[in-house]
Amino acid sequence: MPFAVFALATGAFAISTTEFVILGLLMNVATDFNISISTAGMLITAYAVGVVIGAPLLTPILARFPRKQVIVFLLGLFTVGNLIGALAPSYEILLASRLLTALVHASFYGLASIVASQLVTPDKQARAMSMVFMGATLANVIGAPVGTMIGLEWGWRSTSYVCAMLGVLSAISIFWIVPRVHTEKPKNIGAEFKALLQPKVMGALSLTLIGFGGTFTLLTYIAPLLTEITGFAEQHVSALLLVFGLGMAIGNPFGGWITDKNLGTGLKATLGCLFLSLLAIGFFSQNPYIMTVLVFLFGAAMFATITPLQVNAMKAAGDAPVMAASFNIAAFNLANALAASIGGKVIDSSLGLSNLPFVAAGIALLGIAMTFIATAKTQPAKPQPA
């Protein structure tokens, strides 16, 4: 794998660290600004909203410029957003800085996926994309936990400064290491959006929304499930999340490898593994030993699905792969927001927390059904006998 691909992964590491590190620092932010935890939680919502807005706002404009320069520019904007957050005199300014930083997210991942695929031969393109997303995996395993420890020790603002530094270092590494790649002359913005409205592309984006929705229906509430249903002590949850992160690190390259073999097989296999892991968690959620293994498998299945879903959207878009890649990242984040809401409603209903994994598995199963329907439509018709 070219070293330039790993340089792109450093950008993913910086961006995803910023996205997730706030989870462990909400209490500190709430105390500093004298606000409630629920109000501080809007910092997470603001980021998700920024990602969804950023795809249609920035990608059509930036797609016409050289891709390497655009990626460096995006990391510069990301750095500015973190610096504003570190210096924020009020909660409102911090909220705006999270929104600004998140605008970069979809466009960066969309462009980085395209550039990574251009740096390798066609038979390794999905694996190259999975290496970019490996940066996000490491952000969950290393970046967010270390950032949280820094924030707890020296204040949450210090973590924002560190994230800004990561942005600078990543931009420098990409500037020096990643070669210039060919940038196709884009269509006009109207034509780009029209390409996204094609049924095949909308179907691919819907598959991401539904297929990944099962993940966040459970993942959002994994900590209370592990403590209230499985019976783990709260201090053990961080170790279990590390196990989850290690699973992500294993599943990520698997998703790239199997997608390079065959996209349809990759979609069915990874979503199938996701469904089975969620179903197993539902059945064995009260057994701490089995759950430790299942948390690992859940992490592996979750990140294995990302690359085939991303490649699926890009292939469906044809002449608008950058737009499709960015909008697909937005679909991942929209799935996060909607699934968290669904999970909350399930917990508050008569089903309760213990049945949440089964609901999540049902959503994943719907994604599998959509995959089989989509691949059946693309199968060549069998010749009729004379």
Side-chain angles (χ1 to χ4, degrees):
M1 195 63 64
F3 195 63
V5 174
F6 297 102
L8 292 168
T10 63
F13 176 83
I15 289 172
S16 290
T17 295
T18 294
E19 178 183 10
F20 294 113
V21 74
I22 195 67
L23 292 170
L25 300 173
L26 286 181
M27 286 286 294
N28 304 68
V29 173
T31 301
D32 194 16
F33 289 118
N34 194 27
I35 57 176
S36 67
I37 293 295
S38 60
T39 300
M42 288 299 295
L43 295 170
I44 299 170
T45 304
Y47 193 97
V49 170
V51 175
V52 175
I53 293 174
L57 182 65
L58 288 182
T59 306
I61 299 172
L62 299 177
R64 67 191 64 194
F65 297 104
R67 289 169 181 166
K68 175 182 172 179
Q69 286 87 331
V70 169
I71 288 174
V72 173
F73 165 77
L74 290 171
L75 287 169
L77 189 61
F78 164 84
T79 300
V80 170
N82 275 290
L83 288 175
I84 293 174
L87 298 168
S90 67
Y91 167 74
E92 289 75 19
I93 298 297
L94 179 60
L95 191 70
S97 75
R98 289 282 294 177
L99 187 64
L100 174 63
T101 305
L103 292 176
V104 169
H105 192 114
S107 296
F108 171 85
Y109 272 104
L111 285 166
S113 297
I114 297 292
V115 172
S117 69
Q118 291 180 280
L119 296 173
V120 296
T121 55
D123 62 314
K124 296 180 180 178
Q125 289 181 344
R127 273 169 282 183
M129 291 185 210
S130 73
M131 286 300 102
V132 173
F133 287 105
M134 180 62 81
T137 304
L138 294 176
N140 282 274
V141 178
I142 301 173
V146 172
T148 298
M149 287 190 291
I150 291 172
L152 294 176
E153 183 68 26
W154 291 290
W156 63 267
R157 294 178 190 272
S158 63
T159 300
S160 293
Y161 282 119
V162 170
C163 289
M165 187 183 303
L166 289 174
V168 171
L169 293 175
S170 177
I172 292 172
S173 66
I174 290 172
F175 179 80
W176 285 109
I177 298 172
V178 177
R180 290 190 177 186
V181 296
H182 174 67
T183 302
E184 297 88 353
K185 184 178 180 180
K187 300 177 180 180
N188 60 60
I189 294 178
E192 291 277 355
F193 276 105
K194 185 177 180 180
L196 290 180
L197 293 176
Q198 297 300 313
K200 190 174 182 181
V201 181
M202 295 302 295
L205 296 177
S206 298
L207 177 58
T208 296
L209 185 65
I210 300 298
F212 213 68
T215 297
F216 278 100
T217 300
L218 177 62
L219 182 59
T220 305
Y221 305 99
I222 189 68
L225 180 80
L226 292 172
T227 55
E228 296 180 25
I229 304 300
T230 310
F232 283 108
E234 287 186 2
Q235 59 264 33
H236 294 153
V237 172
S238 58
L240 288 164
L241 292 179
L242 176 60
V243 171
F244 180 82
L246 293 174
M248 292 164 61
I250 298 297
N252 184 55
F254 171 76
W257 172 80
I258 197 170
T259 303
D260 274 330
K261 297 296 182 183
N262 184 276
L263 174 58
T265 301
L267 288 168
K268 294 171 185 175
T270 56
L271 287 171
C273 289
L274 179 62
F275 165 71
L276 291 175
S277 66
L278 291 168
L279 192 65
I281 288 173
F283 282 117
F284 298 102
S285 60
Q286 296 183 357
N287 188 311
Y289 302 104
I290 297 178
M291 276 295 289
T292 301
V293 176
L294 290 177
V295 165
F296 174 85
L297 295 176
F298 178 33
M302 169 190 168
F303 248 60
T305 62
I306 291 179
T307 299
L309 289 170
Q310 184 77 344
V311 172
N312 183 49
M314 290 164 57
K315 287 187 177 296
D319 294 333
V322 177
M323 288 283 285
S326 297
F327 271 72
N328 201 51
I329 296 298
F332 279 121
N333 281 268
L334 186 57
N336 183 352
L338 293 177
S341 176
I342 293 172
K345 292 184 183 301
V346 171
I347 292 173
D348 292 338
S349 72
S350 59
L351 292 173
L353 182 60
S354 61
N355 284 304
L356 186 61
F358 294 114
V359 176
I363 296 174
L365 184 61
L366 181 57
I368 296 172
M370 292 173 65
T371 301
F372 274 92
I373 293 171
T375 53
K377 290 179 179 179
T378 58
Q379 295 293 328
K382 294 182 179 180
Q384 297 295 324

